[in-house]
Amino acid sequence: QIPDGCAFVIFGVTGDLTHRLVIPALYNLAESNLLPEKFCVVGITRKEMSSEDLRASLMHGLRKFATRPVNEDIADKLLYCVTAVSADPSDPSSFDRLRERLEKLEANRNTGGNRLFYLATPPDAFAPISTELGRSGLLKEDGGAWRRLVVEKPFGTDLASAKALNEHLLSIVSEHSLYRIDHYLGKETVQNILVLRFSNGMFEPIWNREHIDHIQITVDEKLGVAHRGSFYDKTGALRDMVPNHLFQLLSLVAMEPPSHFNAHSVRSAKAEVLAAIQQQSEEEALRNSVRGQYTAGKVGDTEIGDYRSVQDVDLASNTETYAALKLTIDNWRWAGVPFYLRTGKALGAKRTEVAIKFKQAPFAMFRCTPIEELSQNYLVIGIEPVEGIALQFNTKIPGPSIAIDGVEMTFRYKDYFKVAPSNGYETLLHDCMIGDNILFQRADGVEAGWEAVQPFLDAWEKAGAEGLQSYPAGSNGPEDADALLARDGRNWREPS
Ligand code: BG6
């Protein structure tokens, strides 16, 4: 579907996100003929900047971050649509001037008055910018034209701040016009979880506590914190990854089947399962979690220094760069099935996956291998870098006597589909322009996520340095993460 004409207004246009992801994604959409014919990009800068300089800077970013070879004609046509306009929320009159400039551009490009305001800024700018957009009337829908507000992550830093931000934004735009981005939902492999579960008849009957022993969600990263010390030291692994990315995976895997494939049904089902995550007391949260911080080490051939030596990180920082949690979901489908989540920086390998571990066969018919030694039955949804699905099961080793070994049946996207490389933002930006909110978070989902992690945040803050483990960069994370499962007689899945 080609979106209707619109003005795509970017706050934070000189920043890393715009250069690295937004413009390359718009380029990919342009190459696939998925941008509106009547289109303009308005880049908002705090200080005066010429459109020529802005275009040159975006072109430089595009050449560096494009996921496909850059076709000069397509890039020129896209950048020709870009105009720089300065506006600063501390100077309300600049937003009135922005409205006048925008109205002229809209008339020029014949975009029909449809506007998308994209806040690719640090989170402390969300409230002041949206306030001014509301006050100046830029977001007011009139004459049949739509107005939409797109907000990047992080959405709040805890339950109270997420609620306050929701309340503020919803006093300016309706839920339907608000698009809270979580880039995990732009990943094909993540969207496919819905299709895997709900377009096949064979998984749903066994997708419950009768047949599933537990679920593991892993988001391991090789990169350290690098130049993001000032943001990361205030944030930590739990806030940075769990209530958003890991909970998107959890909710897609654990939600009830929605009755329709539309934004209302899908987002309601997701919010409901997040709200069913059992609230833990602070003592339980300490018992059911592990946090770690990396020390110097080698990831592959790359030396990574101690986390505390990263620029802008406190020398005595207690911020976690690794988090592992055990959660349970209080509903009929999942009662008693643990969900183990882990994520960390500077680990030995990049791996993002959901592993569903099925219950063992009920008794050992084959004397050759005791039941506890049989290989485990996992369904593994590989998100990155392995994109695909694998099923692990036991099979007979060919030969005159019965001997058993674990094998794997795999599906890899790359073996079946040829898709032009993308950065994951294309679908999200396209959906904002066509007005489809399925892949965006709703207020209740965001708040349910923060509610589930709040006891961990509180307990860790009180505990300070106590209980913070260290792990060398390049390792698998703190040893206690293994103990978290071992005490339940389980273990993290080893990559096959
Ligand atoms: C971002 C976090 O939201 O997600 C980063 O702020 C993290 O710290 C990144 O590295 C991970 O995304 P992906 O797509 O590489 O798994």
Side-chain angles (χ1 to χ4, degrees):
Q1 183 182 345
I2 299 182
D4 294 339
C6 70
F8 196 104
V9 185
I10 308 176
F11 286 83
V13 73
T14 53
D16 187 59
L17 179 74
T18 303
H19 286 74
R20 184 183 291 272
L21 293 165
V22 179
I23 295 295
L26 287 177
Y27 171 84
N28 289 346
L29 287 174
E31 198 202 71
S32 311
N33 287 320
L34 284 171
L35 280 188
E37 274 167 36
K38 294 164 182 166
F39 186 58
C40 65
V41 176
V42 181
I44 308 296
T45 58
R46 273 189 178 242
K47 298 200 182 99
E48 289 286 343
M49 184 178 195
S50 73
S51 296
E52 286 65 40
D53 286 352
L54 178 58
R55 287 177 194 149
S57 155
L58 295 176
M59 188 65 190
H60 182 72
L62 181 59
R63 288 194 205 289
K64 194 160 163 201
F65 299 115
T67 57
R68 308 175 188 172
V70 176
N71 173 309
E72 299 294 322
D73 291 342
I74 299 175
D76 285 349
K77 195 171 162 211
L78 173 67
L79 292 172
Y80 170 74
C81 298
V82 176
T83 307
V85 177
S86 67
D88 181 342
S90 63
D91 169 14
S93 65
S94 66
F95 274 67
D96 297 326
R97 289 196 297 278
L98 167 62
R99 201 188 58 238
E100 285 158 26
R101 284 289 304 275
L102 195 53
E103 282 167 1
K104 280 193 191 134
L105 278 166
E106 288 171 335
N108 240 323
R109 299 282 164 94
N110 207 6
T111 55
N114 298 320
R115 294 176 190 157
L116 187 148
F117 295 97
Y118 192 111
L119 308 193
T121 61
D124 53 2
F126 296 165
I129 294 175
S130 54
T131 301
E132 276 314 304
L133 288 173
R135 187 205 54 77
S136 60
L138 277 156
L139 271 169
K140 189 160 178 284
E141 299 203 339
D142 56 7
W146 51 255
R147 307 284 149 89
R148 293 179 190 142
L149 184 64
V150 185
V151 186
E152 271 291 337
K153 74 166 278 256
F155 198 95
T157 52
D158 58 12
L159 179 59
S161 58
K163 277 186 166 169
L165 184 56
N166 271 328
E167 199 178 322
H168 175 78
L169 295 174
L170 292 171
S171 71
I172 297 167
V173 285
S174 65
E175 181 66 61
H176 182 70
S177 302
L178 186 56
Y179 290 71
R180 300 174 189 80
I181 288 205
D182 184 313
H183 78 274
Y184 264 51
L185 290 171
K187 295 178 194 276
E188 285 291 344
T189 41
V190 174
Q191 293 168 30
N192 192 44
I193 297 174
L194 277 180
V195 178
L196 174 79
R197 285 190 60 197
F198 303 129
S199 73
N200 296 297
M202 64 196 168
F203 297 117
E204 215 36 39
I206 54 168
W207 210 262
N208 56 47
R209 61 193 300 272
E210 299 299 329
H211 301 281
I212 291 179
D213 178 71
H214 73 275
I215 291 183
Q216 301 179 8
I217 301 180
T218 300
V219 183
D220 285 354
E221 296 186 84
K222 280 163 78 172
L223 294 178
V225 169
H227 57 279
R228 297 169 77 211
S230 124
F231 160 77
Y232 199 87
D233 208 35
K234 287 188 273 190
T235 307
L238 181 59
R239 283 190 172 90
D240 189 35
M241 300 294 288
V242 177
N244 37 62
H245 307 326
L246 275 83
F247 277 6
Q248 289 304 329
L249 299 175
L250 181 146
S251 57
L252 291 168
V253 168
M255 70 198 268
E256 292 303 311
S259 43
H260 300 281
F261 188 61
N262 63 27
H264 174 75
S265 291
V266 172
R267 299 196 299 178
S268 298
K270 285 170 66 186
E272 191 156 339
V273 75
L274 289 177
I277 295 175
Q278 192 176 73
Q279 275 295 302
Q280 307 205 13
S281 66
E282 286 180 23
E283 295 73 55
E284 288 167 331
L286 285 181
R287 184 174 144 70
N288 289 326
S289 67
V290 174
R291 63 197 166 116
Q293 190 184 73
Y294 65 82
T295 52
K298 234 175 160 186
V299 178
D301 291 337
T302 313
E303 298 278 357
I304 292 201
D306 202 283
Y307 170 69
R308 291 183 182 173
S309 68
V310 171
Q311 196 185 350
D312 297 325
V313 166
D314 189 335
L315 282 176
S317 172
N318 291 328
T319 299
E320 79 287 354
T321 58
Y322 181 100
L325 312 179
K326 175 184 172 185
L327 303 174
T328 48
I329 295 180
D330 281 342
N331 65 19
W332 277 55
R333 186 190 286 265
W334 296 118
V337 178
F339 283 69
Y340 299 103
L341 278 56
R342 61 176 167 170
T343 182
K345 300 263 184 216
L347 297 169
K350 164 101 177 150
R351 177 154 64 120
T352 307
E353 69 171 35
V354 179
I356 294 128
K357 160 81 171 60
F358 289 92
K359 291 190 170 165
Q360 291 293 85
F363 86 108
M365 191 167 74
F366 306 104
R367 295 224 173 73
C368 59
T369 317
I371 195 138
E372 60 280 5
E373 284 173 26
L374 283 176
S375 158
Q376 310 195 355
N377 292 154
Y378 277 108
L379 177 71
V380 184
I381 303 173
I383 311 287
E384 251 181 310
V386 175
E387 297 183 318
I389 292 167
L391 187 63
Q392 295 179 350
F393 53 92
N394 290 296
T395 201
K396 179 180 173 297
I397 301 172
S401 54
I402 291 276
I404 297 177
D405 202 1
V407 293
E408 191 176 273
M409 205 155 71
T410 54
F411 150 71
R412 297 276 181 269
Y413 279 80
K414 64 178 168 50
D415 298 336
Y416 281 77
F417 306 111
K418 292 233 170 324
V419 279
S422 61
N423 69 22
Y425 265 63
E426 295 79 2
T427 313
L428 299 176
L429 300 186
H430 183 254
D431 283 0
C432 295
M433 287 187 272
I434 62 169
D436 184 349
N437 311 61
I438 292 192
L439 298 179
F440 296 84
Q441 306 201 72
R442 204 171 61 188
D444 51 350
V446 171
E447 290 177 17
W450 279 114
E451 200 152 4
V453 298
Q454 192 64 51
F456 296 93
L457 292 174
D458 294 340
W460 289 0
E461 178 155 358
K462 279 188 201 148
E466 204 181 315
L468 178 70
Q469 316 260 299
S470 58
Y471 62 95
S475 68
N476 281 337
E479 282 172 9
D480 278 10
D482 292 337
L484 184 71
L485 272 69
R487 73 170 194 229
D488 295 343
R490 300 185 171 105
N491 55 278
W492 294 105
R493 193 189 83 88
E494 291 292 333
S496 39

